[in-house]
Amino acid sequence: MDYPVIEFSLLGNGMVIGLVAFIHVLISHGVAIGGTAMMVSLEYRAYKTNNKRLDQFARTLSKWVLIVTTTAGAITGVGIWFTTMVITPASIGSLLRIFFWAWFAEWIVFVTEVSLLLLYYYTWDKWKGAKKNIHLRVGYALVGFSWLTAAIITGVLAAKLTPGLWTETLSFWNAFFNPTYVPSLLFRTFIAILLAVSFISIIVKMRVKDNALQQEVFGVFGKWMVVTIPSLLIFGVWYLFKIPEQAYDQVIWSTGMEPLVFTTINILGLAVLIIYALWAIKLPKKVPVILVFIVWAASIGFVGEFEMVRESVRKPYVIYDYLYANGIPASKAEEFSEEGFLENWTFATVDEVTEETKYEAGRILYEAQCLACHSIDGWRSRRAFADRVAGWGEDSLADYIETMHISRPFMPPFVGTEEEREALAHYITSEVDQANGEVAKGGDEQ
Amino acid sequence: MIFQSVPVDLELAIPGNWTLLMILLVVSFLMHIVFANLTIAGAFYAVWNEIRGMVKNNPVYDQLASQSATMTSIFKSIAVVLGVAPLLLVSVLYTQYIYPATIFIGEAWLNLLWILIVAFLLLYLYKFSWNRLKNKGLHLTIGLIGTMMLLIVPLIFIVAVVSMLYPDKWAGAEGFFHSLFYYPQIWQRYFHFILASFAVTGLVMYFWNKRKLTQRTKLHAVDGKDEVAATTENVKEDVKVYEAGKSFGMQAAFWTTALQLVIGPLVLFSLDREVRLLYLGDDVFLTSLLSISTLLSVVLIGMLFMLMKTEAKKWLLSSLTTLVLVIGLMGWMRHEVRESYIDPHRAENPPTIEQQPIQIGDMMIE
């Protein structure tokens, strides 16, 4: 808290962070980690079987790994930071204070990773023949360092949901090696392989005309999938057993699906992966195009589900037990409710609620406490007040706000005095009425 | 708007020795900024030389441009990853200042993301399509758009790091475009940076082409006799490119460094009077920093001039060393300027250096 507020009304603030983060997850896992591993394992296979065409395919892959990771991959990575910095500054600021040295180490690993990738790409044609061995070793190191980037950042991501002993000791190591660290890291590792296999399969199907080459690549991928599918299951279940009970109860809810739909979709997704693996091993010559696309969609679906669940079930916290999703430290809630929130907020333009300042005070409270997840209007109807509280009236909304964290455990409590709570209800209802009024008017005109 | 401007610092303490972190900030920023210099000016030189090649119908300039485009695509990847550490450190050490500063220009700040992605992709396309794309005009346009986009990037960063120095002015700021002319220092710093990019990249270009030339002529001298005529032709072509690169890099480094003698003082005079006077006698240490770096810049110009005249190795080495020193001093002074501005605010809004007891869940953690 205590920072100025910005609103991205088109997408909604939460969606801006989510969008950049999701693109980054797809690239960092699917291309930087998994893609690199696949590229090097194809080069290794080409070397062992003396297959020139496979070597050339791996070389082409390396060009695309280089282009994608050093543009959209790297920039969306920094982008998660850029977006959180302006949208949820208190959360990212606190995380940086807890995990500074992890991020610093991450920096050194990043620089090494990019240097190795540049070396790997630009020496492909130079280090041939007897020197191919050195090239492969650069490749192994590259795979190791790209995995290490995940090994470090996973400590931070997992700690948001399960800070473990950190909440008693404030120790960096307790926060880093938290209860979900190992299962998340292993789960992410295999998610990376799954994504890479599904991305590259499409490229193979669409761009590689040579049937023998297709067969070689799918053969390698089939083997990878045999290890990947059971690993995903084992580590996924292990992860679920390690998250807090309240979070566990929210898993299915957080996806917005009915339990039956959730189960069916996940089982179907898994079945598709198994079919793909069997097909790639038994009939690598004839992997159907449609299957490749379904696997691609399923793997993106799994990643999206995992990230959405992980980010949703930690609610109402952004750092479990310490910081609420809107950036207010849980410990300050009581103090601010007694003294008044506006009084304590640096960027407040009014510091008490009067008849004249009621609307403005409400606006400030809305921006400071709701905006991190909600919007007045917008396309995400679960988050938009214009849908959620249409026709509620100021008083019932004010009453609801008082106890919403009890009836809806994933909501942080409102922090402020009674007058401030009424001001917030006043602001939201006026804005919602206006938004809905305009929609109705627009509808009439049509 | 009326508000007390500087936010209260986070409850969690800054995780490390203050001085050590400050040193890491200055050093890691310098590492990042040198590669940022090389990226921006590299892209500009590629486009510039491609145009020269087209206008003079001389393939040597075109090949020189292609060399710059390749180098740029490598440097930009390093510049981005090197930037992580200084951004991390500035966020941790100046939390109360840099966060509001970026939030006030939030839209431009997030626009940086797609600007960088698109610019980098265009510059890859520019590089990889150099010999394949037959339509030279289209090829040039791709590079030109990429370069123009890159030129916007430092401006957004400069607005962020300058506006963080002026908490008293925050209430009157109205977004990025307004801030461009609302805060002092911005354009002066921008041109100071751009000129430095041209100079650093020029000298690196000279150095690189001189090395290549030596390697090429040595190789040629060893097995030149056995080479077929076509290869000899290639060597001749390459030598022409390296010669052109040397001459272009040298000229660029010399003239842009000389121009800094005008821009540098403009930066100094864009600072608030009290801060400026610290560098003009009020503070012995800061005054010495400024004097030494100014003196070294003049010496550098002299050395570059001698290098142009004689091409002697000793002038190249001494120029490079002096350039590194000047860059180091500039980075340090830049940090001191920030400290001079922020110090008065820090007294009133102290950062959390020692961890105070904090409450987590139901427990008070000592």
Side-chain angles (χ1 to χ4, degrees), chain A residues 411-439:
Chain A
M411 292 290 296
F414 171 75
V415 172
T417 62
E418 198 182 327
E419 293 76 30
E420 288 176 337
R421 183 158 50 80
E422 283 163 7
L424 176 60
H426 172 70
Y427 173 78
I428 293 177
T429 27
S430 349
E431 288 295 305
V432 165
D433 288 348
Q434 202 190 344
N436 287 337
E438 275 170 14
V439 172

PDB file of all heavy atoms in Angstrom, chain A residues 411-439:
ATOM      1  N   MET A 411     -11.602 -13.063   0.027  1.00  0.00           N
ATOM      2  CA  MET A 411     -11.536 -11.597  -0.032  1.00  0.00           C
ATOM      3  C   MET A 411     -10.789 -11.055   1.183  1.00  0.00           C
ATOM      4  O   MET A 411     -11.027 -11.510   2.300  1.00  0.00           O
ATOM      5  CB  MET A 411     -12.951 -10.997  -0.014  1.00  0.00           C
ATOM      6  CG  MET A 411     -13.780 -11.260  -1.247  1.00  0.00           C
ATOM      7  SD  MET A 411     -13.183 -10.369  -2.679  1.00  0.00           S
ATOM      8  CE  MET A 411     -13.455  -8.681  -2.156  1.00  0.00           C
ATOM      9  N   PRO A 412      -9.899 -10.072   0.982  1.00  0.00           N
ATOM     10  CA  PRO A 412      -9.292  -9.432   2.144  1.00  0.00           C
ATOM     11  C   PRO A 412     -10.354  -8.591   2.864  1.00  0.00           C
ATOM     12  O   PRO A 412     -11.329  -8.173   2.230  1.00  0.00           O
ATOM     13  CB  PRO A 412      -8.229  -8.512   1.540  1.00  0.00           C
ATOM     14  CG  PRO A 412      -8.261  -8.693   0.084  1.00  0.00           C
ATOM     15  CD  PRO A 412      -9.464  -9.483  -0.287  1.00  0.00           C
ATOM     16  N   PRO A 413     -10.200  -8.337   4.153  1.00  0.00           N
ATOM     17  CA  PRO A 413     -11.192  -7.508   4.834  1.00  0.00           C
ATOM     18  C   PRO A 413     -11.078  -6.053   4.392  1.00  0.00           C
ATOM     19  O   PRO A 413     -10.005  -5.618   3.967  1.00  0.00           O
ATOM     20  CB  PRO A 413     -10.803  -7.646   6.303  1.00  0.00           C
ATOM     21  CG  PRO A 413      -9.350  -7.940   6.283  1.00  0.00           C
ATOM     22  CD  PRO A 413      -9.097  -8.728   5.039  1.00  0.00           C
ATOM     23  N   PHE A 414     -12.194  -5.318   4.483  1.00  0.00           N
ATOM     24  CA  PHE A 414     -12.106  -3.881   4.242  1.00  0.00           C
ATOM     25  C   PHE A 414     -11.354  -3.252   5.403  1.00  0.00           C
ATOM     26  O   PHE A 414     -11.589  -3.589   6.560  1.00  0.00           O
ATOM     27  CB  PHE A 414     -13.509  -3.278   4.134  1.00  0.00           C
ATOM     28  CG  PHE A 414     -13.483  -1.777   4.114  1.00  0.00           C
ATOM     29  CD1 PHE A 414     -13.084  -1.099   2.977  1.00  0.00           C
ATOM     30  CD2 PHE A 414     -13.814  -1.035   5.249  1.00  0.00           C
ATOM     31  CE1 PHE A 414     -13.024   0.288   2.963  1.00  0.00           C
ATOM     32  CE2 PHE A 414     -13.752   0.348   5.242  1.00  0.00           C
ATOM     33  CZ  PHE A 414     -13.361   1.007   4.096  1.00  0.00           C
ATOM     34  N   VAL A 415     -10.469  -2.314   5.078  1.00  0.00           N
ATOM     35  CA  VAL A 415      -9.675  -1.670   6.115  1.00  0.00           C
ATOM     36  C   VAL A 415     -10.041  -0.194   6.164  1.00  0.00           C
ATOM     37  O   VAL A 415      -9.790   0.534   5.203  1.00  0.00           O
ATOM     38  CB  VAL A 415      -8.167  -1.858   5.809  1.00  0.00           C
ATOM     39  CG1 VAL A 415      -7.331  -1.043   6.766  1.00  0.00           C
ATOM     40  CG2 VAL A 415      -7.795  -3.329   5.918  1.00  0.00           C
ATOM     41  N   GLY A 416     -10.674   0.213   7.275  1.00  0.00           N
ATOM     42  CA  GLY A 416     -11.054   1.620   7.392  1.00  0.00           C
ATOM     43  C   GLY A 416     -12.182   1.780   8.397  1.00  0.00           C
ATOM     44  O   GLY A 416     -12.700   0.794   8.926  1.00  0.00           O
ATOM     45  N   THR A 417     -12.572   3.033   8.642  1.00  0.00           N
ATOM     46  CA  THR A 417     -13.635   3.312   9.605  1.00  0.00           C
ATOM     47  C   THR A 417     -15.004   3.064   8.963  1.00  0.00           C
ATOM     48  O   THR A 417     -15.101   2.833   7.750  1.00  0.00           O
ATOM     49  CB  THR A 417     -13.581   4.777  10.044  1.00  0.00           C
ATOM     50  OG1 THR A 417     -13.800   5.576   8.870  1.00  0.00           O
ATOM     51  CG2 THR A 417     -12.248   5.138  10.667  1.00  0.00           C
ATOM     52  N   GLU A 418     -16.030   3.171   9.793  1.00  0.00           N
ATOM     53  CA  GLU A 418     -17.384   2.974   9.281  1.00  0.00           C
ATOM     54  C   GLU A 418     -17.720   4.015   8.208  1.00  0.00           C
ATOM     55  O   GLU A 418     -18.291   3.688   7.161  1.00  0.00           O
ATOM     56  CB  GLU A 418     -18.358   3.081  10.452  1.00  0.00           C
ATOM     57  CG  GLU A 418     -19.706   2.491  10.151  1.00  0.00           C
ATOM     58  CD  GLU A 418     -20.659   2.664  11.329  1.00  0.00           C
ATOM     59  OE1 GLU A 418     -20.182   2.635  12.490  1.00  0.00           O
ATOM     60  OE2 GLU A 418     -21.854   2.859  11.078  1.00  0.00           O
ATOM     61  N   GLU A 419     -17.328   5.269   8.473  1.00  0.00           N
ATOM     62  CA  GLU A 419     -17.612   6.343   7.494  1.00  0.00           C
ATOM     63  C   GLU A 419     -16.901   6.054   6.175  1.00  0.00           C
ATOM     64  O   GLU A 419     -17.430   6.301   5.093  1.00  0.00           O
ATOM     65  CB  GLU A 419     -17.148   7.713   8.016  1.00  0.00           C
ATOM     66  CG  GLU A 419     -17.913   8.259   9.211  1.00  0.00           C
ATOM     67  CD  GLU A 419     -17.536   7.577  10.531  1.00  0.00           C
ATOM     68  OE1 GLU A 419     -16.369   7.129  10.650  1.00  0.00           O
ATOM     69  OE2 GLU A 419     -18.408   7.467  11.409  1.00  0.00           O
ATOM     70  N   GLU A 420     -15.694   5.540   6.291  1.00  0.00           N
ATOM     71  CA  GLU A 420     -14.936   5.240   5.069  1.00  0.00           C
ATOM     72  C   GLU A 420     -15.595   4.105   4.283  1.00  0.00           C
ATOM     73  O   GLU A 420     -15.638   4.135   3.054  1.00  0.00           O
ATOM     74  CB  GLU A 420     -13.482   4.880   5.429  1.00  0.00           C
ATOM     75  CG  GLU A 420     -12.686   6.110   5.875  1.00  0.00           C
ATOM     76  CD  GLU A 420     -11.271   5.799   6.345  1.00  0.00           C
ATOM     77  OE1 GLU A 420     -11.000   4.645   6.750  1.00  0.00           O
ATOM     78  OE2 GLU A 420     -10.427   6.718   6.321  1.00  0.00           O
ATOM     79  N   ARG A 421     -16.112   3.132   5.048  1.00  0.00           N
ATOM     80  CA  ARG A 421     -16.803   2.014   4.390  1.00  0.00           C
ATOM     81  C   ARG A 421     -18.035   2.534   3.640  1.00  0.00           C
ATOM     82  O   ARG A 421     -18.296   2.145   2.496  1.00  0.00           O
ATOM     83  CB  ARG A 421     -17.199   0.983   5.450  1.00  0.00           C
ATOM     84  CG  ARG A 421     -17.849  -0.263   4.936  1.00  0.00           C
ATOM     85  CD  ARG A 421     -17.698  -1.402   5.940  1.00  0.00           C
ATOM     86  NE  ARG A 421     -18.086  -1.031   7.299  1.00  0.00           N
ATOM     87  CZ  ARG A 421     -19.354  -0.975   7.737  1.00  0.00           C
ATOM     88  NH1 ARG A 421     -20.333  -1.259   6.931  1.00  0.00           N
ATOM     89  NH2 ARG A 421     -19.622  -0.646   8.979  1.00  0.00           N
ATOM     90  N   GLU A 422     -18.755   3.449   4.270  1.00  0.00           N
ATOM     91  CA  GLU A 422     -19.935   4.014   3.605  1.00  0.00           C
ATOM     92  C   GLU A 422     -19.543   4.836   2.370  1.00  0.00           C
ATOM     93  O   GLU A 422     -20.226   4.804   1.347  1.00  0.00           O
ATOM     94  CB  GLU A 422     -20.728   4.877   4.595  1.00  0.00           C
ATOM     95  CG  GLU A 422     -21.535   4.011   5.560  1.00  0.00           C
ATOM     96  CD  GLU A 422     -21.994   4.772   6.802  1.00  0.00           C
ATOM     97  OE1 GLU A 422     -21.805   6.020   6.852  1.00  0.00           O
ATOM     98  OE2 GLU A 422     -22.526   4.127   7.707  1.00  0.00           O
ATOM     99  N   ALA A 423     -18.434   5.530   2.515  1.00  0.00           N
ATOM    100  CA  ALA A 423     -17.963   6.321   1.372  1.00  0.00           C
ATOM    101  C   ALA A 423     -17.622   5.411   0.195  1.00  0.00           C
ATOM    102  O   ALA A 423     -17.946   5.706  -0.967  1.00  0.00           O
ATOM    103  CB  ALA A 423     -16.743   7.151   1.777  1.00  0.00           C
ATOM    104  N   LEU A 424     -16.999   4.273   0.499  1.00  0.00           N
ATOM    105  CA  LEU A 424     -16.641   3.325  -0.563  1.00  0.00           C
ATOM    106  C   LEU A 424     -17.912   2.797  -1.244  1.00  0.00           C
ATOM    107  O   LEU A 424     -17.995   2.762  -2.483  1.00  0.00           O
ATOM    108  CB  LEU A 424     -15.821   2.159   0.021  1.00  0.00           C
ATOM    109  CG  LEU A 424     -15.467   1.039  -0.954  1.00  0.00           C
ATOM    110  CD1 LEU A 424     -14.630   1.571  -2.115  1.00  0.00           C
ATOM    111  CD2 LEU A 424     -14.688  -0.080  -0.248  1.00  0.00           C
ATOM    112  N   ALA A 425     -18.896   2.423  -0.422  1.00  0.00           N
ATOM    113  CA  ALA A 425     -20.157   1.925  -0.984  1.00  0.00           C
ATOM    114  C   ALA A 425     -20.820   3.010  -1.840  1.00  0.00           C
ATOM    115  O   ALA A 425     -21.340   2.729  -2.926  1.00  0.00           O
ATOM    116  CB  ALA A 425     -21.089   1.491   0.140  1.00  0.00           C
ATOM    117  N   HIS A 426     -20.745   4.255  -1.367  1.00  0.00           N
ATOM    118  CA  HIS A 426     -21.318   5.374  -2.108  1.00  0.00           C
ATOM    119  C   HIS A 426     -20.652   5.528  -3.479  1.00  0.00           C
ATOM    120  O   HIS A 426     -21.319   5.632  -4.508  1.00  0.00           O
ATOM    121  CB  HIS A 426     -21.134   6.659  -1.284  1.00  0.00           C
ATOM    122  CG  HIS A 426     -21.506   7.911  -2.017  1.00  0.00           C
ATOM    123  ND1 HIS A 426     -22.802   8.233  -2.331  1.00  0.00           N
ATOM    124  CD2 HIS A 426     -20.731   8.914  -2.521  1.00  0.00           C
ATOM    125  CE1 HIS A 426     -22.826   9.385  -2.992  1.00  0.00           C
ATOM    126  NE2 HIS A 426     -21.572   9.806  -3.119  1.00  0.00           N
ATOM    127  N   TYR A 427     -19.345   5.476  -3.461  1.00  0.00           N
ATOM    128  CA  TYR A 427     -18.608   5.639  -4.724  1.00  0.00           C
ATOM    129  C   TYR A 427     -18.931   4.502  -5.697  1.00  0.00           C
ATOM    130  O   TYR A 427     -19.260   4.737  -6.861  1.00  0.00           O
ATOM    131  CB  TYR A 427     -17.095   5.683  -4.463  1.00  0.00           C
ATOM    132  CG  TYR A 427     -16.284   5.685  -5.732  1.00  0.00           C
ATOM    133  CD1 TYR A 427     -16.137   6.854  -6.479  1.00  0.00           C
ATOM    134  CD2 TYR A 427     -15.685   4.519  -6.218  1.00  0.00           C
ATOM    135  CE1 TYR A 427     -15.418   6.868  -7.658  1.00  0.00           C
ATOM    136  CE2 TYR A 427     -14.970   4.515  -7.395  1.00  0.00           C
ATOM    137  CZ  TYR A 427     -14.832   5.701  -8.115  1.00  0.00           C
ATOM    138  OH  TYR A 427     -14.130   5.713  -9.296  1.00  0.00           O
ATOM    139  N   ILE A 428     -18.866   3.267  -5.183  1.00  0.00           N
ATOM    140  CA  ILE A 428     -19.080   2.117  -6.084  1.00  0.00           C
ATOM    141  C   ILE A 428     -20.500   2.150  -6.662  1.00  0.00           C
ATOM    142  O   ILE A 428     -20.684   2.005  -7.878  1.00  0.00           O
ATOM    143  CB  ILE A 428     -18.806   0.778  -5.369  1.00  0.00           C
ATOM    144  CG1 ILE A 428     -17.319   0.675  -5.039  1.00  0.00           C
ATOM    145  CG2 ILE A 428     -19.218  -0.413  -6.247  1.00  0.00           C
ATOM    146  CD1 ILE A 428     -16.925  -0.570  -4.267  1.00  0.00           C
ATOM    147  N   THR A 429     -21.495   2.405  -5.804  1.00  0.00           N
ATOM    148  CA  THR A 429     -22.874   2.412  -6.338  1.00  0.00           C
ATOM    149  C   THR A 429     -23.067   3.545  -7.355  1.00  0.00           C
ATOM    150  O   THR A 429     -23.686   3.323  -8.391  1.00  0.00           O
ATOM    151  CB  THR A 429     -23.948   2.525  -5.228  1.00  0.00           C
ATOM    152  OG1 THR A 429     -23.396   3.198  -4.121  1.00  0.00           O
ATOM    153  CG2 THR A 429     -24.442   1.174  -4.793  1.00  0.00           C
ATOM    154  N   SER A 430     -22.497   4.737  -7.070  1.00  0.00           N
ATOM    155  CA  SER A 430     -22.690   5.806  -8.070  1.00  0.00           C
ATOM    156  C   SER A 430     -22.044   5.439  -9.396  1.00  0.00           C
ATOM    157  O   SER A 430     -22.613   5.659 -10.463  1.00  0.00           O
ATOM    158  CB  SER A 430     -22.133   7.163  -7.623  1.00  0.00           C
ATOM    159  OG  SER A 430     -21.788   7.184  -6.295  1.00  0.00           O
ATOM    160  N   GLU A 431     -20.826   4.861  -9.328  1.00  0.00           N
ATOM    161  CA  GLU A 431     -20.136   4.500 -10.567  1.00  0.00           C
ATOM    162  C   GLU A 431     -20.869   3.379 -11.310  1.00  0.00           C
ATOM    163  O   GLU A 431     -20.982   3.409 -12.535  1.00  0.00           O
ATOM    164  CB  GLU A 431     -18.701   4.063 -10.261  1.00  0.00           C
ATOM    165  CG  GLU A 431     -17.778   5.198  -9.852  1.00  0.00           C
ATOM    166  CD  GLU A 431     -17.558   6.206 -10.962  1.00  0.00           C
ATOM    167  OE1 GLU A 431     -17.148   5.807 -12.058  1.00  0.00           O
ATOM    168  OE2 GLU A 431     -17.841   7.410 -10.730  1.00  0.00           O
ATOM    169  N   VAL A 432     -21.343   2.403 -10.528  1.00  0.00           N
ATOM    170  CA  VAL A 432     -22.038   1.272 -11.142  1.00  0.00           C
ATOM    171  C   VAL A 432     -23.335   1.747 -11.803  1.00  0.00           C
ATOM    172  O   VAL A 432     -23.630   1.381 -12.946  1.00  0.00           O
ATOM    173  CB  VAL A 432     -22.319   0.169 -10.087  1.00  0.00           C
ATOM    174  CG1 VAL A 432     -23.352  -0.828 -10.594  1.00  0.00           C
ATOM    175  CG2 VAL A 432     -21.028  -0.547  -9.726  1.00  0.00           C
ATOM    176  N   ASP A 433     -24.069   2.605 -11.086  1.00  0.00           N
ATOM    177  CA  ASP A 433     -25.311   3.130 -11.664  1.00  0.00           C
ATOM    178  C   ASP A 433     -25.025   3.851 -12.965  1.00  0.00           C
ATOM    179  O   ASP A 433     -25.728   3.692 -13.958  1.00  0.00           O
ATOM    180  CB  ASP A 433     -25.996   4.096 -10.682  1.00  0.00           C
ATOM    181  CG  ASP A 433     -26.600   3.318  -9.516  1.00  0.00           C
ATOM    182  OD1 ASP A 433     -26.671   2.080  -9.619  1.00  0.00           O
ATOM    183  OD2 ASP A 433     -26.984   3.959  -8.507  1.00  0.00           O
ATOM    184  N   GLN A 434     -23.964   4.655 -12.922  1.00  0.00           N
ATOM    185  CA  GLN A 434     -23.610   5.411 -14.125  1.00  0.00           C
ATOM    186  C   GLN A 434     -23.237   4.465 -15.269  1.00  0.00           C
ATOM    187  O   GLN A 434     -23.730   4.613 -16.385  1.00  0.00           O
ATOM    188  CB  GLN A 434     -22.441   6.340 -13.816  1.00  0.00           C
ATOM    189  CG  GLN A 434     -22.371   7.496 -14.796  1.00  0.00           C
ATOM    190  CD  GLN A 434     -21.076   8.278 -14.641  1.00  0.00           C
ATOM    191  OE1 GLN A 434     -20.381   8.159 -13.636  1.00  0.00           O
ATOM    192  NE2 GLN A 434     -20.760   9.063 -15.633  1.00  0.00           N
ATOM    193  N   ALA A 435     -22.395   3.476 -14.942  1.00  0.00           N
ATOM    194  CA  ALA A 435     -21.968   2.527 -15.985  1.00  0.00           C
ATOM    195  C   ALA A 435     -23.170   1.782 -16.560  1.00  0.00           C
ATOM    196  O   ALA A 435     -23.328   1.673 -17.779  1.00  0.00           O
ATOM    197  CB  ALA A 435     -20.956   1.549 -15.409  1.00  0.00           C
ATOM    198  N   ASN A 436     -24.017   1.272 -15.680  1.00  0.00           N
ATOM    199  CA  ASN A 436     -25.169   0.507 -16.162  1.00  0.00           C
ATOM    200  C   ASN A 436     -26.173   1.404 -16.874  1.00  0.00           C
ATOM    201  O   ASN A 436     -26.772   1.004 -17.865  1.00  0.00           O
ATOM    202  CB  ASN A 436     -25.838  -0.228 -15.002  1.00  0.00           C
ATOM    203  CG  ASN A 436     -24.987  -1.401 -14.536  1.00  0.00           C
ATOM    204  OD1 ASN A 436     -24.173  -1.903 -15.305  1.00  0.00           O
ATOM    205  ND2 ASN A 436     -25.138  -1.798 -13.296  1.00  0.00           N
ATOM    206  N   GLY A 437     -26.315   2.636 -16.366  1.00  0.00           N
ATOM    207  CA  GLY A 437     -27.209   3.601 -17.016  1.00  0.00           C
ATOM    208  C   GLY A 437     -26.777   3.867 -18.434  1.00  0.00           C
ATOM    209  O   GLY A 437     -27.574   3.821 -19.368  1.00  0.00           O
ATOM    210  N   GLU A 438     -25.449   4.027 -18.590  1.00  0.00           N
ATOM    211  CA  GLU A 438     -24.933   4.318 -19.932  1.00  0.00           C
ATOM    212  C   GLU A 438     -25.140   3.135 -20.867  1.00  0.00           C
ATOM    213  O   GLU A 438     -25.467   3.297 -22.028  1.00  0.00           O
ATOM    214  CB  GLU A 438     -23.456   4.688 -19.855  1.00  0.00           C
ATOM    215  CG  GLU A 438     -23.273   6.152 -19.560  1.00  0.00           C
ATOM    216  CD  GLU A 438     -21.839   6.524 -19.248  1.00  0.00           C
ATOM    217  OE1 GLU A 438     -20.942   5.712 -19.522  1.00  0.00           O
ATOM    218  OE2 GLU A 438     -21.639   7.623 -18.717  1.00  0.00           O
ATOM    219  N   VAL A 439     -24.963   1.940 -20.317  1.00  0.00           N
ATOM    220  CA  VAL A 439     -25.161   0.748 -21.144  1.00  0.00           C
ATOM    221  C   VAL A 439     -26.623   0.677 -21.597  1.00  0.00           C
ATOM    222  O   VAL A 439     -26.917   0.485 -22.774  1.00  0.00           O
ATOM    223  CB  VAL A 439     -24.782  -0.535 -20.368  1.00  0.00           C
ATOM    224  CG1 VAL A 439     -25.184  -1.770 -21.165  1.00  0.00           C
ATOM    225  CG2 VAL A 439     -23.291  -0.554 -20.094  1.00  0.00           C
TER     226      VAL A 439
END
